[in-house]
Amino acid sequence: MKRLNLGAGTDIRPKDEGWVNCDVRPLDGIDLVFDVVDGLPFAMGFPLGWDEVLAQDLLEHLPIDKVPFFLSECFRVLKSGGVLNLRIPDLPKIM
């Protein structure tokens, strides 16, 4: 499985389980450094896209007007039947 961990920070997922850890900062264990606000640096998903895209505690750090673009980018790079997993802390308190 190909799995993308966006905004990984220190939550480094194992490479032997197919994870590619990404963050805006070059922390230990980060495979790719880029800012998701600028888009995801991957081709369209079908048929060789990502099986899973994980974004835990990331959306609350994006400018609110960039969230729709970020979500569309996640769906763009997922393969057909792929899964987007989001975790968001108490979003209404930060908006």
Side-chain angles (χ1 to χ4, degrees):
M1 288 187 71
K2 290 175 52 180
R3 301 160 120 178
L4 192 56
N5 184 12
L6 298 175
T10 58
D11 180 26
I12 303 302
R13 301 294 171 116
K15 289 181 184 16
D16 64 350
E17 293 179 12
W19 289 101
V20 174
N21 297 288
C22 307
D23 202 276
V24 71
R25 300 165 295 161
L27 303 169
D28 287 340
I30 297 299
D31 303 303
L32 296 172
V33 176
F34 61 90
D35 192 341
V36 298
V37 170
D38 299 325
L40 303 182
F42 308 106
M44 287 193 67
F46 181 80
L48 301 174
W50 298 90
D51 296 290
E52 181 176 357
V53 173
L54 174 66
Q56 292 191 136
D57 304 326
L58 174 64
L59 285 182
E60 69 273 15
H61 298 284
L62 303 181
I64 194 69
D65 63 324
K66 297 294 185 177
V67 171
F69 173 70
F70 169 73
L71 293 174
S72 69
E73 281 290 281
C74 290
F75 285 110
R76 181 183 65 78
V77 302
L78 279 168
K79 72 187 329 185
S80 181
V83 175
L84 172 60
N85 283 311
L86 299 172
R87 180 176 74 189
I88 306 166
D90 198 356
L91 192 59
K93 288 185 178 178
I94 62 173
M95 293 180 65

